[in-house]
Amino acid sequence: MPVVELHLIEGYGEEDKRRLGHALTDAVRFVVPAAPEGVVVMIHEMAPDAYFRGRTTKTPAPALPDPAEVVRRYLAAMEARDLDTARAMQGDGFLMQFPGTGPMTELSDLVAWAAPRYRFVTKTYDGFDAMPGAADAAVVYCYGTLSGEWLDGSAFSGIRFIDRFELVAGRITRQDVWNDMAEVRGRT
């Protein structure tokens, strides 16, 4: 039974500690074949005046937002065409790539690219997977199916998709999209 002990300066909320417990459990299970209930995570909190580094007390940094929730809010804003809200979730150097495109950096470019392809698209999500990425990045995959309307007014649904996002400091810096839209459109 793996046991993980974590010491934190007081100040993190219950949700932050729950996320830490889940993440540490998952990290252990990535290497050790243990059931979730077989991994023990103990979080010890200490008062800020009981922790010193460099002869001074420290306060905890705020927790980063849940990257999967950031991606969910971003995709909801994009679906609603609330580009200002979506843009506010992007980080420095934001880059996106969709099937058949080169890299794009502006949401207006994406809207222009989509305009001659379909009237609208909605996503039905089967899941979101979040994990640490390289350096300071978090990686989120979401997957499911696309529904919407072609330019001629006919409906489509059940088209597979997967999106991969990178987030740094809680902001989206990259989005890569794969889907079967061209494959399905070629058969209709």
Side-chain angles (χ1 to χ4, degrees), residues 74 78 81 90-118 172-177 179:
Y74 174 81
M78 289 298 296
R81 286 298 185 247
Q90 296 173 344
D92 293 338
F94 174 77
L95 181 75
M96 62 186 153
Q97 192 154 349
F98 282 67
T101 73
M104 295 182 281
T105 59
E106 299 294 330
L107 294 179
S108 58
D109 294 338
L110 173 60
V111 172
W113 170 81
R117 290 168 171 74
Y118 46 80
I172 298 169
T173 57
R174 183 176 182 101
Q175 177 183 7
D176 291 290
V177 174
N179 62 54

Side-chain angles (χ1 to χ4, degrees), residues 8-10 42 49 73 77 121 145 170:
L8 286 177
I9 301 173
E10 288 177 351
M42 292 185 280
D49 63 354
R73 289 193 325 268
V121 170
T145 57

Side-chain angles (χ1 to χ4, degrees), residues 22-90:
H22 286 199
L24 290 169
T25 298
D26 292 344
V28 167
R29 294 183 66 232
F30 196 74
V31 177
V32 177
E37 59 274 7
V39 178
V40 176
V41 175
M42 292 185 280
I43 298 176
H44 306 283
E45 292 185 280
M46 58 183 57
D49 63 354
Y51 172 83
F52 288 82
R53 188 175 68 227
R55 297 184 179 169
T56 60
T57 59
K58 303 293 179 184
T59 56
L64 292 170
D66 180 338
E69 286 305 312
V70 172
V71 167
R72 282 179 193 270
R73 289 193 325 268
Y74 174 81
L75 292 170
M78 289 298 296
E79 190 171 306
R81 286 298 185 247
D82 184 353
L83 301 184
D84 290 336
T85 296
R87 199 174 289 110
M89 293 182 217
Q90 296 173 344

